[in-house]
Every structure is written in C-alpha cells, then in structure tokens.
C-alpha cells in the first residue's frame, strides 16, 4: 500500500471501505472482478510468478487481503495480510507458527470459548500456557519470559478491555510478540497494529462481512519473517478460504462503515434501555460512560462494537426472554445485520452465570429493536 495521491483521498472510513482492495480500472472490466475458481494455473517453464497453485495464492484472495490491509493499516506498505478459512484457522495460524516446545504463551482466561481447546493442544506440543483475565491488564502479571502474548480486547463475551499499548510495551521490552484478536472491534473500531501489536487477527465471519453467510479469518502483521511463518503454516495445513467466500467478504466490506455505525449506535441505545430494568444485572457495553472499560476503551477504540452483554436472574428467565423475542434470533456468533442473542452458558466453555446473555445488535430500526427487547423482558417475568 503506497501513499499515492489516490490513497491520500481515501481518508474517511466509509470511502476507504467502499474502495478498499479494488484493482485499477480497466475498460469493460468489472470494478470488482468475480471469484476465480482455479486449483491450478497455466505455468509453462520455470515455476515463478504470483499464482502457481490454488493452495498458495488466488487472485480473489489477493484483492481481499489488500482490502483488509487498507483497513487495518491505512497508508502503510510494510503490513502483510493473509486470509484463512475461518477465524480459528487464523488464530491457530499465529499460535502454531510462532510457538515451539519450551516456549510460554499468555492467553486470556476470559476469551473466546474455543481457547481452552487451543490450550490443550499447545500443551500437548510442549508449550507452557499461562492465563489471566483481560480486565485490569492482569496478563502483565504472568508475562515474564513468554514468547507470545495473546490479547482479546474487548473480550468475548464479557466485554472487558485492557490497555493494549501498555501490554505491548511490556511484552516488547522482554522480547515477546503480541497478537490482538480484533474480531469484536473490527478495523473500524480499533487498529491493533497502530497500537504497537505485531499481529491483528480476526474472524471475518462476524461483523467484517456482516451477513452470517461466510466463514473467514485473517491475520495482518508487520514483521515479514513472522508473517512468512504464518503463510507457511497456512500452506502446510491448507487452511485456505474458498474463492466464493473471499469474493463475498470483499463485496461485504463496502458496506462495513454503514453497518458498523448503525449497529454501534443502536447497541448503545439498547444498553441504555437495559440500564433502566431492575431485573438486568452485570450490564456491559464499553460505550456506556459508566462501564468499567469505558475510559480505556475510549483511549484506543474509535467505535465500541455491536455486542451488549447482561445477566438475567435465572436460566429459566433467560430462556423465556430469548423465546419471547421476535426481532432477535436465538443464535450464536455476532456482528450480523440481523440481531441475535443467546444464553452463553449453554456452550459450557464460558465462565458466566446461567442467565448471562450475549446480544449482537443488528441493523434493525433502533426503536423497533428496543421495543422488542423491553416487551420480551416484560413477557418473560414470572
């Protein structure tokens, strides 16, 4: 990504999202070329050039990777982006390419509920795994001697936030790499590479693509050697995105700023409405001025996300509430244009109360959505 006059014109998030990754215009060609379905490419003579085999590279990936890179690190040409088959493929790509037997890694104890499975696999390979909560920068306490620090901020599903700059400085001072899971924030909410992190990792399945129809992940990184290892890992395990998924993702990025701004604003309005309900406890949304994470979030985030979490008194109350909702689907994942909510304890991997609800606010009219949530609370009361 060079800082050309055309690049300088892409200063706003909406402009950047709409134009990100598009090729130079060619007469009679589409502005966004369709997906390239190819397992192999014509390759006479020496095996050189950008496209050799379908597991290594694909023109559709190239455009998407360029687009994500422009969002994660606008104006920089020292950042590489690699797309993966899913968010977990991207997470695994960093962890398993950077860590060796005898290394130590610090993971969040309150992060994504699949991380315990990752921990078990890392330990089976001889990697020491330490954990600490996201809030209060508690990971600093177990950082000594680690090879890699893994940050998830805001955390999923509890929405705690840590001071990324502070943790990065401490990790780098002792030679550790830092990866930040940026799924919940998206590049429009937070840019971990600008905060000093070595890797920004995310599930594109969520708000980046926003329609609940694509499984995708990506890794963006500043260090060429480290990213070469991530690329090699992707090649070895074949954790690649299909061209159709990559094309759908690129198409969806064009509306990212529109979706994010609508969903974030509505999420704040929903959180404010929930504050007035006596049966709601442990309400978390970083955009609320009185949220414990608000001060730190404001220092490093430009948008606070579309996820609100709260707790209802009992499992039964939570299940009645979810059943009573009409505009909110009882489904996992988050970030889609259609609102979803779920009782997270049903998965068994999150240390949350039985009545804990994670709600992903969609693009519905705020008034309609809030009315639906309040009505469901009323109807679910005993």
């Amino acid at each position: 990504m060079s800082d050309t006059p055309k690049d300088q014109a892409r200063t706003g998030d909406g402009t950047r999202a709409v134009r990100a990754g598009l090729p130079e215009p060619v007469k009679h060609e589409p502005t966004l070329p369709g997906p390239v379905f190819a397992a192999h490419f014509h390759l006479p003579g020496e095996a050189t050039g950008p496209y050799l085999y379908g597991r290594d590279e694909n023109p559709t990936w190239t455009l998407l990777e360029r687009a994500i890179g422009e969002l994660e690190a606008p104006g920089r040409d020292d950042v590489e982006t690699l797309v993966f088959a899913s968010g977990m493929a991207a997470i695994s790509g960093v962890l398993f390419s950077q860590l060796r037997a005898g290394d130590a890694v610090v993971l969040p104890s309150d992060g994504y509920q699949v991380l315990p499975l990752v921990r078990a696999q890392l330990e089976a390979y001889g990697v020491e795994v330490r954990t600490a909560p996201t809030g209060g920068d508690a990971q600093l306490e177990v950082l000594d001697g680690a090879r890699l620090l893994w940050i998830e901020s805001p955390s999923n599903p509890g929405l705690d936030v840590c001071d990324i700059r502070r943790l990065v400085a401490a990790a780098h001072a002792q030679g550790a790499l830092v990866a930040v899971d940026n799924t919940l924030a998206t590049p429009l909410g937070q840019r971990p590479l600008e905060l000093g992190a070595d890797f920004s990792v995310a599930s594109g399945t969520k708000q980046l693509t926003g329609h609940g129809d694509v499984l995708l992940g990506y890794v963006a990184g500043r260090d060429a050697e480290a990213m070469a290892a991530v690329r090699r890992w992707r090649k070895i395990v074949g954790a690649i995105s299909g061209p159709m998924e990559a094309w759908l993702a690129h198409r969806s990025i064009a509306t990212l700023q529109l979706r994010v701004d609508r969903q974030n604003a509505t999420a704040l309005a929903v959180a404010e409405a929930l504050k007035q309900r006596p049966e709601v406890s442990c309400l978390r949304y970083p955009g609320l001025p009185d949220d414990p994470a608000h001060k730190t979030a404001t220092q490093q985030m430009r948008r606070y996300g579309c996820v609100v979490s709260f707790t209802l008194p009992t499992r039964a109350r939570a299940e009645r509430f979810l059943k009573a909702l009409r505009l909110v689907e009882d489904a996992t994942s988050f970030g889609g244009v259609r609102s979803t909510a779920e009782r997270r304890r049903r998965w068994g991997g999150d240390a949350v109360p039985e009545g804990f609800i994670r709600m992903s606010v969609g693009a519905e009219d705020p008034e309609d959505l809030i009315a639906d949530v309040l009505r469901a609370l009323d109807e679910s009361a005993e």
Side-chain angles (χ1 to χ4, degrees):
M1 294 176 291
S2 59
D3 196 12
T4 64
K6 183 181 289 187
D7 294 324
Q8 291 172 2
R10 303 176 185 179
T11 55
D13 285 339
T15 303
R16 187 175 290 112
V18 167
R19 307 296 305 179
L22 297 182
E24 290 298 318
V26 176
K27 189 174 182 178
H28 306 308
E29 293 292 324
T31 54
L32 177 61
V36 175
F37 298 100
H40 58 266
F41 304 87
H42 288 295
L43 193 63
E46 296 297 320
T48 59
Y51 304 109
L52 308 179
Y53 186 62
R55 191 179 67 250
D56 299 321
E57 288 289 355
N58 178 289
T60 310
W61 303 351
T62 300
L63 297 180
L64 174 60
E65 289 170 344
R66 186 187 304 165
I68 294 172
E70 290 175 10
L71 298 179
E72 284 279 356
R76 294 184 57 166
D77 57 8
D78 61 341
V79 171
E80 181 179 5
T81 303
L82 298 171
V83 295
F84 284 78
S86 68
M88 278 309 305
I91 290 171
S92 300
V94 173
L95 291 171
F96 290 100
S97 70
Q98 304 302 313
L99 297 169
R100 303 289 184 272
D103 287 342
V105 61
V106 176
L107 302 178
S109 59
D110 55 344
Y112 181 45
Q113 55 105 1
V114 180
L115 287 181
L117 297 178
V118 175
R119 173 178 186 163
Q121 193 63 55
L122 287 168
E123 290 176 337
Y125 289 156
V127 176
E128 178 190 353
V129 180
R130 308 170 189 165
T131 62
T134 299
D137 300 342
Q139 288 176 300
L140 288 173
E141 300 173 8
V142 293
L143 185 57
D144 188 42
R147 163 67 178 160
L148 175 67
L149 168 63
W150 189 273
I151 294 171
E152 190 177 299
S153 180
S155 62
N156 172 28
L159 303 183
D160 264 327
V161 168
C162 61
D163 185 335
I164 294 176
R165 292 186 185 90
R166 182 187 181 200
L167 268 67
V168 166
H172 285 174
Q174 56 179 276
L177 295 169
V178 180
V180 176
D181 187 328
N182 203 38
T183 302
L184 202 145
T186 82
L188 298 194
Q190 181 172 266
R191 293 178 184 147
L193 300 180
E194 291 185 356
L195 299 173
D198 301 286
F199 303 99
S200 180
V201 188
S203 168
T205 309
K206 311 299 193 297
Q207 197 170 24
L208 185 81
T209 56
H211 292 79
D213 54 8
V214 172
L215 284 172
L216 190 90
Y218 70 84
V219 179
R222 301 182 300 156
D223 184 270
E225 183 177 350
M227 287 301 293
V230 177
R231 179 185 289 273
R232 185 168 58 250
W233 189 91
R234 183 180 71 171
K235 176 183 176 73
I236 291 169
V237 301
I240 59 171
S241 170
M244 189 65 191
E245 287 80 3
W247 184 85
L248 285 169
H250 197 170
R251 175 218 58 179
S252 298
I253 285 175
T255 62
L256 179 61
Q257 182 262 338
L258 298 172
R259 292 185 282 106
V260 163
D261 282 353
R262 173 61 172 261
Q263 291 172 256
N264 283 212
T266 306
L268 177 59
V270 168
E272 289 173 337
L274 288 169
K275 279 180 63 177
Q276 311 307 315
R277 299 294 299 216
E279 67 269 53
V280 170
S281 64
C282 302
L283 173 67
R284 297 299 304 270
Y285 182 68
L288 286 170
D290 58 349
D291 187 274
H294 182 72
K295 180 178 179 181
T296 301
T298 300
Q299 293 169 349
Q300 63 194 23
M301 299 182 73
R302 296 177 299 128
R303 295 172 175 87
Y304 299 108
C306 64
V307 177
V308 178
S309 69
F310 57 97
T311 300
L312 293 177
T314 64
R315 170 178 175 171
R317 177 69 188 277
E319 291 176 344
R320 290 197 303 272
F321 166 72
L322 293 170
K323 186 176 181 179
L325 290 166
R326 296 171 185 164
L327 297 180
V328 183
E329 299 170 357
D330 191 344
T332 193
S333 197
F334 58 84
V337 291
R338 291 177 293 278
S339 293
T340 61
E342 68 172 337
R343 194 180 65 83
R344 284 297 293 178
R345 189 66 181 271
R346 66 181 178 173
W347 296 101
D350 295 312
V352 295
E354 289 286 0
F356 180 95
I357 301 291
R358 184 185 71 183
M359 181 176 179
S360 172
V361 175
E364 298 89 356
D365 286 304
E367 299 81 4
D368 293 340
L369 189 59
I370 291 170
D372 188 46
V373 169
L374 298 181
R375 178 197 51 75
L377 286 173
D378 288 339
E379 291 184 6
S380 63
E382 290 184 302

